[in-house]
Amino acid sequence: MGWPHTEPVTSAGVRLRCDTPVEAAGRLDTLIVTGADDLTRLPADTQARQLLTTLVSPRTRVASVCTGAFVLARAGLLDGHQATTHWRYASALATQFPQVDVRPDAIFIRSGRFVSSAGVTAGIDLTLALVEEDHGPDLAREVARELVVFLRRPGGQSQFSVRTELPPVQDQRLRQVIDLVAAAPAEEHTAQSLARAATMTPRHLRRLFRDQLGTTPGHYLERVRLEAARALLEAGTTVTSAARASGFGSDESLRRAFHATHNVSPSTYQHRFRTTR
């Protein structure tokens, strides 16, 4: 159910069409609140309280996707609860609502009847958990298989932390390149292909990386791939599979990167930090 906007209400630009006005919906069994990149487009404190009071009873299960957590926090529903949101907004959520226990690394997190997820795609992880809770693991697994996604995604948001460590980016085209690499590290990214995606020359792209990020496109790509490989190894993936899925291609390439950065082999790293047994 979307808020009463005339513009798209999700960060992906998808318009949420509601067949029933908020005022006529009544109390819900489960409410999922979406967010927006621009926090000013979300309901303010008073409006959030009014809208959610109409929809939520003491037994309603309430979930948020991405910055939808801000709506719940503005309504006071998350006071004393753990919550998460997209890593880009986690610090703002914690600062604006100190009474909320913000967990910035969680893909999604449950606290009582409240469930919150990180970015937009993390909403899939959240809803699969709700499907499993309501209908059992067999149906949840079938849905996950149909969507070609993990039933339980390994790792947390920290597997994408290379982006959080970068300085602020002024050029929107450079931001698109950063997000493109982070979203698909295994793709065959080259300076030429990334420059084409940003509609600029490779020379200009390298200049932007140097001036705004203090690095090169190749070094950034290797950092993202190394972080993806680490997350896979921590989840129990074999070295060979981790090398392929993260974009290194071969065990030897992954070993060289690990030794250069961590001074250990991938297998040694996995032995020390694997999170599944």
Side-chain angles (χ1 to χ4, degrees):
M1 178 169 293
W3 306 117
H5 287 287
T6 57
E7 298 297 325
V9 297
T10 71
S11 58
V14 177
R15 189 181 302 277
L16 296 183
R17 180 185 176 199
C18 302
D19 297 323
T20 304
V22 170
E23 296 77 10
R27 301 294 177 89
L28 302 175
D29 293 321
T30 298
L31 172 67
I32 300 178
V33 180
T34 60
D37 280 342
D38 183 357
L39 298 181
T40 63
R41 294 172 59 204
L42 299 176
D45 295 14
T46 301
Q47 186 186 21
R49 290 192 187 95
Q50 291 174 344
L51 289 168
L52 291 175
T53 297
T54 303
L55 298 170
V56 175
S57 75
R59 290 180 293 186
T60 300
R61 182 173 57 184
V62 183
S64 64
V65 176
C66 197
T67 55
F70 282 81
V71 179
L72 304 187
R74 289 174 182 179
L77 293 178
L78 295 182
D79 291 1
H81 287 278
Q82 295 179 358
T84 192
T85 188
H86 191 285
W87 57 263
R88 193 188 302 278
Y89 300 98
S91 178
L93 184 65
T95 300
Q96 294 178 30
F97 305 99
Q99 64 275 34
V100 179
D101 182 4
V102 178
R103 301 300 176 95
D105 190 45
I107 296 295
F108 72 91
I109 193 167
R110 177 184 296 279
S111 183
R113 63 192 177 100
F114 299 101
V115 194
S116 52
S117 74
V120 172
T121 57
I124 298 175
D125 300 80
L126 180 151
T127 50
L128 282 172
L130 299 185
V131 170
E132 183 174 7
E133 179 180 317
D134 291 348
H135 303 287
D138 290 342
L139 180 59
R141 191 174 297 108
E142 182 180 337
V143 173
R145 187 179 297 114
E146 183 71 20
L147 296 176
V148 197
V149 297
F150 287 111
L151 179 58
R152 293 180 182 84
R153 193 191 318 197
Q157 290 194 72
S158 59
Q159 63 187 289
F160 311 108
S161 64
V162 166
R163 288 179 293 180
T164 70
E165 297 169 359
L166 296 175
V169 175
Q170 305 302 322
D171 192 291
Q172 182 60 33
R173 294 174 299 173
L174 180 57
R175 168 59 60 187
Q176 291 173 351
V177 170
I178 290 170
D179 291 343
L180 175 65
V181 170
E187 292 294 322
E188 294 186 13
H189 300 297
T190 64
Q192 289 72 25
S193 67
L194 294 175
R196 283 196 300 272
T199 62
M200 64 178 72
T201 65
R203 181 178 180 182
H204 186 52
L205 179 63
R206 287 191 290 268
R207 184 184 302 118
L208 287 177
F209 263 90
R210 182 187 67 243
D211 294 346
Q212 296 193 25
L213 300 177
T215 188
T216 65
H219 186 237
Y220 170 71
L221 174 59
E222 182 170 280
R223 287 181 63 197
V224 171
R225 285 176 170 171
L226 188 59
E227 216 164 48
R230 285 202 332 250
L232 290 164
L233 292 170
E234 290 166 7
T237 303
T238 66
V239 172
T240 298
S241 295
R244 292 173 179 171
S246 61
F248 282 99
S250 68
D251 295 16
E252 183 57 33
S253 295
L254 180 57
R255 288 192 186 97
R256 286 198 299 267
F258 255 83
H259 275 290
T261 303
H262 301 298
N263 201 32
V264 296
S265 68
S267 56
T268 299
Y269 178 89
Q270 184 177 60
H271 178 72
R272 293 176 180 175
F273 298 103
R274 182 174 175 177
T275 56
T276 59
R277 299 297 178 187

